[in-house]
Amino acid sequence: MKALIGALAILVALGFAAAPAQAAKPMRGEHAAKRAECLQQAKLQRFGRQFAARNRFMRTCMARS
């Protein structure tokens, strides 16, 4: 009986964990488009080997709406 309840609890937990992942999929295309636009702007900045500055620029660019 305890095994059945444990198995049911695991199935319910997996069901709830999968629900937010399905809700986020439509936004993935928007995120990818915004990231591509920010990468294009970063290339124009010519950061070169300054990875920290490039990453900071990417974070601020992605945060802009």
Side-chain angles (χ1 to χ4, degrees):
M1 185 70 177
K2 287 183 181 180
L4 179 63
I5 293 172
L8 242 131
I10 290 173
L11 289 175
V12 169
L14 289 176
F16 284 124
Q22 291 174 349
K25 283 187 180 179
M27 296 173 63
R28 209 173 274 184
E30 297 172 9
H31 180 77
K34 180 68 176 171
R35 182 169 170 79
E37 179 183 334
C38 289
L39 280 172
Q40 184 66 29
Q41 291 176 11
K43 285 182 183 178
L44 294 176
Q45 296 284 329
R46 296 184 180 171
F47 287 110
R49 295 182 58 142
Q50 299 172 350
F51 298 113
R54 181 182 168 273
N55 288 340
R56 192 174 341 138
F57 174 80
M58 288 296 292
R59 272 189 306 234
T60 57
C61 183
M62 292 297 289
R64 287 185 235 143
S65 301

